Amino acid sequence: MLASVEAILADRRLPVLRSTEFGLTTSGWIAAGSFHASTSSGQIHLGPHRPSEFSGAVANDATRLALAGRETLHAVSTARSSESLHPAWSSIQTYYAAFYYTSAVLRTIGVSQSFFQAREISKLRALLNAIGHTPLPGSGLYRLRFNQQSTQVILSKLDEGSHEALWSDLRNYLMDLRGRISLIGSLTQAELDKAKLELDCINKASVGLNSQPNLSSTRNEVQYRQMLSCWYPNSRRIKLFHKTNRIEQALSEDFNPKILLQGKDGYDDFFTRSLVICGFMHQFLKQAADKSNSGTLGAKYLRYHRSLKF
């Protein structure tokens, strides 16, 4: 799985997995202004005064998003019929579960997309104004990149939406990781081939249908433009293909993405792509909990996961 590859690379962001007693969110940390600021090449560089405080804030956000992904998927799996959860809405909710899961996992490897309100960046603006930086940042969506020790944070404003940014960040990470695993001398050829296949599966799942750039494009088409004809009355022809069983499979030890990616029609293809991403991210969080005695994100997630019944 992706987590196994990361462990082999010794590139696990375990400090980010540790929630602390501070209870902050990332936006709360920005609002508190507990950092020094500088600029370089148009980017804003932040140095946390207390790195553990920042990593705790990120872990709190990641935990919230991981639980949101699992709860959203649970709602889909427990809807017993198309009457209780419409096929279109079932696929849209599964997409959102994938979005939440990916948002959580990206934070564990040092990338997040966060929206900051004007009041939350007032102290940042004051610091940047003091050093003569212009233009001063305004409210909006920002990408944060941070190192494993949480001692350096790079902040840049995004022109794209949060969903587009998320899938772009995921694909960039997968591309980088796929290149790096070839340099690991300890991997057998079979292990290397398996890792590349898994990374390719995630990449394929994150792409939208009909050559759309990402899954959010397909979700928009389904939600707002009747794509795949999965709203009533056209939805009467759609069968949910044992969705509860397949969700259970995606979260099981025997998770097989190749089987899930064999969608039976356009609707099923969209549903299963989202489900494959959920499955990979679930395995990532599970392995993070298994490998880290002090990481509480994975542990909290697993406790919640085990409390739910299909």
Side-chain angles (χ1 to χ4, degrees):
M1 306 309 299
L2 182 60
S4 300
V5 176
E6 280 290 281
I8 293 170
L9 283 170
D11 194 25
R12 303 278 303 119
R13 260 59 176 185
L14 291 181
V16 177
L17 297 178
R18 300 185 187 120
S19 296
T20 69
E21 70 277 16
F22 294 101
L24 283 176
T25 61
T26 305
S27 58
W29 178 80
I30 287 284
S34 183
F35 47 77
H36 57 267
S38 61
T39 61
S40 176
S41 302
Q43 293 182 320
I44 300 170
H45 294 249
L46 307 179
H49 293 164
R50 294 180 294 278
S52 62
E53 185 177 74
F54 173 74
S55 64
V58 173
N60 287 330
D61 282 346
T63 300
R64 169 179 55 82
L65 289 161
L67 297 182
R70 184 62 185 89
E71 183 165 342
T72 303
L73 204 55
H74 181 65
V76 178
S77 69
T78 54
R80 297 302 179 188
S81 69
S82 59
E83 288 76 24
S84 57
L85 187 64
H86 201 280
W89 193 237
S90 176
S91 66
I92 292 166
Q93 280 199 313
T94 306
Y95 165 82
Y96 272 104
F99 175 80
Y100 294 140
Y101 266 123
T102 304
S103 296
V105 168
L106 281 179
R107 281 166 169 77
T108 73
I109 55 95
V111 184
S112 75
Q113 306 84 25
S114 301
F115 185 90
F116 299 132
Q117 300 176 3
R119 60 179 176 80
E120 292 170 333
I121 58 172
S122 59
K123 291 186 177 180
L124 172 60
R125 285 171 59 90
L127 285 172
L128 294 174
N129 186 54
I131 62 175
H133 173 75
T134 57
L136 294 176
S139 62
L141 185 67
Y142 287 82
R143 175 180 287 118
L144 282 74
R145 297 187 183 277
F146 39 93
N147 63 348
Q148 184 172 356
Q149 295 75 30
S150 298
T151 56
Q152 300 174 23
V153 182
I154 299 176
L155 190 70
S156 54
K157 194 165 186 180
L158 290 168
D159 296 324
E160 55 193 334
S162 59
H163 290 250
E164 291 79 10
L166 176 100
W167 300 119
S168 175
D169 285 341
L170 175 64
R171 283 198 297 273
N172 288 338
Y173 173 65
L174 294 174
M175 187 182 305
D176 174 66
L177 189 55
R178 200 181 193 285
R180 284 189 287 147
I181 61 176
S182 301
L183 304 177
I184 305 172
S186 59
L187 285 180
T188 66
Q189 189 60 48
E191 290 171 331
L192 184 61
D193 291 343
K194 182 175 183 290
K196 288 182 176 180
L197 176 63
E198 290 173 345
L199 294 174
D200 289 344
C201 281
I202 305 174
N203 189 60
K204 177 183 177 181
S206 70
V207 176
L209 273 61
N210 301 326
S211 301
Q212 293 174 321
N214 53 60
L215 269 185
S216 65
S217 301
T218 302
R219 189 264 306 175
N220 285 334
E221 293 289 333
V222 170
Q223 190 164 358
Y224 303 118
R225 297 181 181 86
Q226 290 282 359
M227 182 182 178
L228 306 182
S229 300
C230 51
W231 291 101
Y232 184 87
N234 296 326
S235 62
R236 286 179 294 184
R237 65 175 181 79
I238 292 178
K239 300 184 184 302
L240 294 183
F241 299 116
H242 309 293
K243 64 179 175 61
T244 300
N245 292 339
R246 287 191 297 159
I247 291 173
E248 189 170 3
Q249 181 197 2
L251 303 181
S252 73
E253 298 289 343
D254 300 323
F255 170 53
N256 186 338
K258 291 184 67 176
I259 293 177
L260 285 176
L261 278 174
Q262 296 172 358
K264 297 176 175 61
D265 56 26
Y267 168 84
D268 198 50
D269 195 6
F270 175 48
F271 176 81
T272 54
R273 289 187 191 205
S274 299
L275 191 55
V276 162
I277 292 173
C278 291
F280 271 111
M281 301 309 169
H282 167 76
Q283 300 299 331
F284 185 105
L285 292 167
K286 181 181 183 302
Q287 292 187 37
D290 291 343
K291 292 177 182 296
S292 173
N293 294 325
S294 56
T296 58
L297 187 161
K300 287 180 180 178
Y301 170 78
L302 274 188
R303 283 197 298 271
Y304 183 68
H305 164 65
R306 289 165 180 162
S307 73
L308 300 175
K309 304 296 182 183
F310 286 98

